[in-house]
């Protein structure tokens, strides 16, 4: 038998507004949902007296409000603050709380630029590729943080290449992977770059690129073998006309957004 989750019925008359994302929250469930899906954004916009007052007055949860105030007075960590909310809400199972606690601990030790990448990676894992690309681009367009390993930015380029690839934008993916390989020089990145070129370039240009390069020729053989196995396994192939239609639509959206 599954566990019974008791949800709070109280809905605030006045919402709690999170200015940085222009969001209004009316219930404890909505607050917890925001926290769990935006762990990388948790900061002073959530961890503050204003939220304590809203929880006590609007949601009529005075004990939770006072516990959060105690944490603020004693300079408790951001992690303690949000975990207290999640635990007291009685919405999540212990295993889910533990998982979120692990993520928060990981984020605490990260630099801002690493948190940004975590945000983009999370978006990509949720198949929100367009949003992920915007964050990756934001990281790369800023002055690079010299306190992180230079290969970090290579991984950002590689992740952006993956996001482009999921949108079938192989030309853009190839450029991203090329930059990633210049920094990291990892075989798997070179392989991803070659695959993107195979999908993006006319056949004669692709063959010209391979000509006289034993490393690329060897990778090409491996790629073709893997692609053939994959096609047989899934028994599907997307028509070129459909891919071109998707690409045009995505690039139209990009142009409108100013990407």
């Amino acid at each position: 038998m599954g566990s019974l989750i008791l949800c709070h019925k109280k809905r605030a008359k006045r919402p709690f507004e999170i200015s940085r994302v222009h969001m209004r929250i009316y219930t404890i469930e909505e607050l917890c949902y925001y926290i769990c899906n935006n762990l990388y954004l948790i900061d002073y916009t959530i961890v503050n007296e204003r939220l304590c007052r809203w929880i006590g007055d609007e949601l009529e949860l005075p004990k939770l409000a006072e516990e959060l105030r105690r944490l603020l007075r004693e300079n408790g960590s951001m992690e303690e603050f949000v975990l207290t909310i999640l635990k007291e809400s009685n919405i999540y199972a212990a295993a889910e709380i533990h998982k979120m606690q692990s993520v928060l601990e990981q984020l605490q030790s990260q630099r801002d630029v690493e948190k940004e990448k975590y945000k983009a990676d999370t978006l990509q894992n949720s198949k929100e590729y367009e949003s992920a690309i915007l964050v990756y681009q934001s990281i790369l367009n800023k002055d690079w943080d010299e306190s992180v390993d230079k290969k970090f930015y290579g991984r950002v380029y590689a992740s952006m290449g993956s996001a482009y690839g999921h949108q079938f934008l192989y030309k853009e993916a190839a450029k991203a992977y090329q930059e990633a390989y210049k920094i990291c020089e990892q075989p798997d990145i070179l392989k991803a770059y070659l695959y993107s070129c195979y999908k993006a370039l006319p056949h004669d240009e692709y063959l010209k690129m391979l000509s006289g390069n034993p490393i690329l020729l060897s990778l090409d053989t491996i790629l073709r073998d893997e692609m053939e196995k994959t096609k047989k396994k899934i028994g599907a192939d997307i028509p070129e006309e459909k891919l071109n239609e998707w690409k045009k639509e995505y690039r139209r959206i990009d142009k409108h957004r100013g990407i």
Side-chain angles (χ1 to χ4, degrees):
M1 180 181 292
S3 59
L4 176 64
I5 298 177
L6 299 177
C7 295
H8 300 267
K9 294 182 179 180
K10 180 64 180 177
R11 178 180 174 84
K13 293 181 180 178
R14 293 180 297 176
F16 181 79
E17 297 188 15
I18 304 175
S19 57
R20 70 182 300 172
V21 292
H22 309 290
M23 178 179 288
R24 293 183 175 183
I25 291 174
Y26 288 87
T27 66
I28 189 69
E29 289 85 3
E30 290 177 354
L31 175 62
C32 290
Y33 181 84
Y34 171 81
I35 290 173
C36 293
N37 287 276
N38 296 278
L39 292 175
Y40 48 82
L41 289 178
I42 301 302
D43 58 11
Y44 64 90
T45 59
I46 284 289
V47 183
N48 55 42
E49 166 61 28
R50 186 167 65 92
L51 179 65
C52 299
R53 187 165 57 251
W54 180 78
I55 288 175
D57 297 344
E58 292 292 330
L59 298 186
E60 299 178 0
L61 295 171
K63 290 184 179 179
L64 174 56
E66 184 51 40
E67 177 62 17
L68 295 175
R69 286 193 178 95
R70 182 189 67 78
L71 290 172
L72 290 178
R73 288 194 303 270
E74 298 177 2
N75 295 316
S77 67
M78 175 198 73
E79 174 191 348
E80 290 179 294
F81 191 93
V82 298
L83 286 175
T84 297
I85 295 173
L86 297 177
K87 290 175 182 177
E88 292 299 318
S89 69
N90 294 320
I91 297 172
Y92 299 98
E96 293 174 301
I97 296 288
H98 180 72
K99 182 178 179 180
M100 287 180 277
Q101 182 175 1
S102 298
V103 173
L104 286 167
E105 289 173 352
Q106 179 185 350
L107 287 174
Q108 276 190 321
S109 63
Q110 289 184 336
R111 299 171 177 83
D112 288 343
V113 70
E114 292 173 320
K115 292 179 182 178
E116 283 294 294
K117 185 177 183 300
Y118 178 86
K119 171 183 176 180
D121 292 343
T122 301
L123 289 167
Q124 180 162 195
N125 291 336
S126 300
K127 299 183 179 182
E128 297 181 48
Y129 302 117
E130 297 172 25
S131 297
I133 288 169
L134 286 172
V135 179
Y136 291 132
Q137 289 178 334
S138 175
I139 294 171
L140 295 168
N141 290 336
K142 296 175 184 175
D143 291 337
W144 288 14
D145 188 338
E146 295 182 358
S147 68
V148 299
D149 185 348
K150 187 178 180 181
K151 289 186 176 181
F152 168 82
Y153 287 96
R155 292 191 290 274
V156 174
Y157 271 116
S159 297
M160 186 166 69
S162 175
Y164 274 127
H166 279 101
Q167 293 290 327
F168 306 105
L169 298 173
Y170 296 112
K171 181 179 178 181
E172 290 84 348
K175 290 180 180 178
Y177 282 127
Q178 185 177 39
E179 294 300 319
Y181 185 71
K182 288 178 183 178
I183 298 171
C184 297
E185 298 184 342
Q186 294 177 349
D188 59 328
I189 294 177
L190 182 61
K191 186 177 176 183
Y193 164 71
L194 186 62
Y195 176 77
S196 298
C197 289
Y198 171 80
K199 300 295 289 185
L201 296 175
H203 186 62
D204 58 337
E205 289 186 29
Y206 178 73
L207 293 178
K208 185 178 180 180
M209 185 185 78
L210 297 179
S211 180
N213 191 318
I215 296 176
L216 293 183
L217 285 168
S218 176
L219 273 178
D220 176 69
T221 301
I222 296 172
L223 274 175
R224 290 177 183 274
D225 181 58
E226 290 180 353
M227 286 188 291
E228 189 61 32
K229 289 180 179 178
T230 300
K231 283 183 181 180
K232 290 181 179 179
K233 183 176 180 180
I234 65 176
D237 196 10
I238 300 173
E240 189 67 25
E241 296 78 10
K242 188 62 177 177
L243 285 178
N244 289 333
E245 181 183 329
W246 288 343
K247 291 176 188 178
K248 288 179 181 178
E249 176 63 16
Y250 183 81
R251 287 175 178 139
R252 183 189 65 77
I253 294 172
D254 274 3
K255 185 176 181 181
H256 177 70
R257 292 182 175 181
I259 295 178

